[in-house]
Amino acid sequence: MIYRIMTEADISAVIPLYIDHYNTHDGGEWTEKTVCKRIHQVWSHEDSLCLIAETGNSICGFAMGHFEQYDDLKAYDLVEIVIAHKYQNQGLGTEFMLELERWVKQLGGAMIQLQAVNDEMHNHFYGKLHYQDCHNLVLKSKFL
């Protein structure tokens, strides 16, 4: 597996992967336009770190996020990690997360934080990587 920084040119290459992941396997309703907007927003964010996972000439997955500075540490907010369906359940997602952790640590990050769906699959995946539920913060939202 080869890991590299995502370029702006890669955005169009990962759009079909994102749509397949969320629309085909998660019941989403993403369009090329909305996916392009979302990915570009994260990619162009100040202090972003977006990685591509490749094997041969094929993109297997990507991870996107950005660093945030706090008073006592620099944290990485993981916004998306998507593994192509045909590569899932083969350890690639775990390997990719470990590689992302190495990049984050090398770039001065002390912590990775993320929001995940609260279901058995996500709890198992992140749990085996030793990610824990945060008990001092609660996600708040309001529909307008």
Side-chain angles (χ1 to χ4, degrees), residues 22-100:
Y22 284 106
N23 291 6
T24 305
H25 305 286
D26 251 6
E29 297 180 8
W30 290 92
T31 66
E32 277 192 37
K33 183 178 179 181
T34 58
V35 172
C36 184
K37 178 73 172 177
R38 175 151 175 87
I39 292 173
H40 196 273
Q41 283 175 332
V42 178
W43 177 86
S44 65
H45 193 281
E46 183 177 356
D47 294 324
S48 71
L49 173 62
C50 303
L51 298 178
I52 296 279
E54 293 179 314
T55 181
N57 292 336
S58 179
I59 295 176
C60 307
F62 65 97
M64 304 185 315
H66 54 85
F67 288 97
E68 284 195 56
Q69 185 63 54
Y70 293 96
D71 59 341
D72 59 345
L73 62 85
K74 182 177 171 182
Y76 178 78
D77 285 335
L78 177 60
V79 176
E80 295 282 357
I81 181 168
V82 175
I83 305 299
H85 189 70
K86 71 180 184 176
Y87 295 103
Q88 290 185 6
N89 299 312
Q90 299 174 31
L92 178 64
T94 300
E95 181 182 320
F96 198 179
M97 284 295 296
L98 294 172
E99 182 68 17
L100 177 65

Side-chain angles (χ1 to χ4, degrees), residues 5-23:
I5 298 287
M6 179 188 286
T7 66
E8 190 168 17
D10 290 319
I11 293 174
S12 62
V14 299
I15 288 172
L17 200 152
Y18 193 99
I19 289 173
D20 179 62
H21 177 77
Y22 284 106
N23 291 6

